[in-house]
Amino acid sequence: REVMVEKQMTAHRVDRAICGWFWEYVLAHAAGDPSKVVVSPTHYLFRVYRSGVTFLACTQVEMPPLMAIEFLSRVADVLTDYLGDINEDTIKDNFVIVYQILDEMMDNGFPLTTEPNILKELVAQPNMVSKMLNVMTGKSSTIGSKLPDATASFVPWRTTIVKDASNEVYVNIVEELDACVNREGVLVKCEACGEIEVNSSLPGLPELTLSFANPTIINDVRFHPCVRFRPWESNQILSFVPPDGQFKLMSYRVKKLKTTPIYVKPQLSSDSGNCRVHVMVGIRNDPGKPIDSIIVQFQLPPLIASADLTANHGTVDILADQTCVWTIGHIPKDKAPSLSGNLRLEEGLAHLHAFPIFQVKFRIMGAALSGLQIDKLDVKNTPSAPYKGFRAQTQAGRYEVRS
């Protein structure tokens, strides 16, 4: 027993030394985002940053980096599923559950159980009733008393008995549009990064087949483990037995899009210690659905003494970090939103030498701007024909306009 305690204490000291070295590395590279793979004098470190929390894994031997990064991403997804928004406080408040989840997900340094459905049977989700019972009984363990049946199934991502199945399935296309427009207004880059999200509430062991009207536009696909690869490789068809509940079926990228739904035209000119600003926003390519939640923001250039900016539509706010946020909402039909005003430079400066980059945000419900379309969804092995729902949504990702 003394030997085991000594080994645990040694491992704890090594972990603290690795974490200390890593944060020294992060501080030394504060000007830029540190790499996802870092080589220390004694270990290889892998990191994933999610919602203000850094997930760190280390190994003393070489291994495929994507394996470690994918595992850390799974850990972050599972903890988000369990705890909601993950941050320092929620992890501290649910430390026992977090420790039990990590203990089930990895065994002796190897990924073991990463499917949320099995983990939820092994480790109960936190709720007020369980916390009260733990306080009253003095127990802190939430580990299940028996091994889940799905661990012996050929579809471990699905529970053997689905409770309260409403015989419905919903498919949602969610896309983010990344674009870069140069100072001349030319679209330099435009691509869509998308996900196919499925919410399944089907009884039994259903077989689903999803096909697209234009699958050739898809690149860089990544599938949920439930997807059979051969039907996709041969016919670009998604064949799978879905998990119960909501999950991400696949992610993809559509490259070299030709246009954006809205335009942002900034004009800045400076002389005699003043910089005049004029920005116009309008619809360039109507997607056929309303464009809302439009926000244009930019960082005020350095050496600005004061700023006086107004808009004919929406509100303009200058935050404490010198970020100007123009909240437009939607574009009215009778006028094009515009922002104008003056930036006063500090004494001794006649011209502005660094021009800002404008960040654009928007949301479009009911349209996938990549052009990806679902052809049909077939469902087999269900007692009756299920209800099938489809939806699409596009929002701005990294959308930049240079000035």
Side-chain angles (χ1 to χ4, degrees):
R1 183 174 180 179
E2 293 179 356
V3 173
M4 292 180 61
V5 171
E6 181 63 28
K7 287 183 177 180
Q8 291 177 353
M9 292 180 64
T10 302
H12 183 66
R13 286 194 295 267
V14 171
D15 291 342
R16 290 184 64 88
I18 293 172
C19 290
W21 185 93
F22 174 75
W23 288 116
E24 289 179 2
Y25 171 86
V26 170
L27 293 174
H29 294 76
D33 186 28
S35 172
K36 289 182 179 291
V37 182
V38 182
V39 180
S40 79
T42 57
H43 293 77
Y44 297 95
L45 305 180
F46 308 91
R47 68 180 288 269
V48 168
Y49 186 77
R50 188 82 64 87
S51 303
V53 179
T54 297
F55 296 85
L56 191 65
C58 66
T59 178
Q60 289 182 304
V61 297
E62 289 192 21
M63 62 175 290
L66 288 179
M67 178 181 176
I69 293 172
E70 174 64 20
F71 176 75
L72 291 176
S73 299
R74 287 287 187 96
V75 171
D77 292 340
V78 168
L79 292 182
T80 301
D81 194 15
Y82 265 78
L83 308 178
D85 294 332
I86 52 174
N87 53 54
E88 183 179 354
D89 293 332
T90 56
I91 290 177
K92 285 181 178 179
D93 294 341
N94 299 276
F95 175 76
V96 173
I97 290 178
V98 172
Y99 189 89
Q100 291 169 345
I101 291 172
L102 293 177
D103 193 43
E104 296 294 341
M105 294 187 71
M106 175 166 285
D107 181 36
N108 197 28
F110 292 93
L112 181 62
T113 304
T114 59
E115 288 301 328
N117 279 320
I118 297 180
L119 288 169
K120 287 177 182 178
E121 292 188 47
L122 288 170
V123 182
Q125 286 185 280
N127 55 61
M128 188 59 65
V129 175
S130 64
K131 290 181 179 179
M132 291 177 63
L133 287 174
N134 290 339
V135 171
M136 295 173 63
T137 60
K139 298 179 180 180
S140 59
S141 176
T142 55
I143 297 291
S145 58
K146 66 174 184 177
L147 196 64
D149 296 334
T151 54
S153 171
F154 69 96
V155 283
W157 51 84
R158 186 174 179 84
T159 55
T160 54
I161 300 176
V162 178
K163 299 178 181 179
D164 303 325
S166 56
N167 203 27
E168 298 174 336
V169 59
Y170 299 91
V171 181
N172 189 16
I173 300 178
V174 181
E175 294 186 345
E176 284 193 353
L177 190 71
D178 296 338
C180 181
V181 180
N182 65 14
R183 297 184 64 179
E184 286 73 33
V186 178
L187 186 63
V188 177
K189 173 188 175 183
C190 186
E191 61 183 26
C193 300
E195 296 179 352
I196 306 295
E197 296 179 350
V198 178
N199 193 349
S200 171
S201 181
L202 299 171
L205 201 65
E207 292 274 353
L208 275 66
T209 304
L210 178 67
S211 59
F212 301 100
N214 48 352
T216 55
I217 67 173
I218 300 177
N219 299 283
D220 303 336
V221 293
R222 178 170 173 260
F223 300 115
H224 187 277
C226 70
V227 176
R228 302 180 180 96
F229 187 66
R230 286 188 179 180
W232 174 262
E233 190 177 30
S234 57
N235 300 312
Q236 281 72 56
I237 293 176
L238 296 176
S239 175
F240 58 99
V241 176
D244 184 49
Q246 189 168 350
F247 67 100
K248 183 171 69 175
L249 180 65
M250 68 174 289
S251 61
Y252 62 89
R253 187 191 307 267
V254 178
K255 303 177 181 179
K256 298 180 180 180
L257 298 180
K258 302 298 183 182
T259 186
T260 59
I262 63 176
Y263 66 81
V264 176
K265 296 181 178 179
Q267 294 179 345
L268 285 82
S269 58
S270 64
D271 57 34
S272 304
N274 287 303
C275 177
R276 290 175 292 278
V277 180
H278 183 72
V279 184
M280 289 189 63
V281 177
I283 296 178
R284 169 173 287 152
N285 183 27
D286 191 351
K289 299 290 183 180
I291 306 175
D292 58 17
S293 303
I294 301 174
I295 297 175
V296 178
Q297 65 182 44
F298 63 96
Q299 192 78 26
L300 292 180
L303 305 179
I304 295 294
S306 62
D308 181 20
L309 301 171
T310 58
N312 66 350
H313 181 79
T315 60
V316 180
D317 298 298
I318 298 179
L319 306 181
D321 62 352
Q322 297 299 297
T323 300
C324 179
V325 180
W326 178 22
T327 304
I328 300 172
H330 67 281
I331 298 177
K333 295 182 178 180
D334 56 342
K335 61 180 178 181
S338 64
L339 177 145
S340 58
N342 184 66
L343 303 179
R344 181 67 182 174
L345 307 183
E346 291 185 355
E347 290 293 335
L349 284 178
H351 300 279
L352 187 66
H353 299 288
F355 291 93
I357 298 175
F358 290 78
Q359 308 282 343
V360 185
K361 301 291 183 184
F362 62 82
R363 184 183 63 178
I364 305 173
M365 300 297 295
L369 293 186
S370 67
L372 183 66
Q373 297 179 352
I374 294 176
D375 183 27
K376 61 180 179 178
L377 174 65
D378 294 329
V379 182
K380 299 178 180 179
N381 294 345
T382 54
S384 59
Y387 175 80
K388 295 179 280 189
F390 303 92
R391 190 174 64 177
Q393 172 186 337
T394 301
Q395 61 189 24
R398 189 168 182 176
Y399 191 143
E400 296 182 347
V401 179
R402 308 296 171 92
S403 63

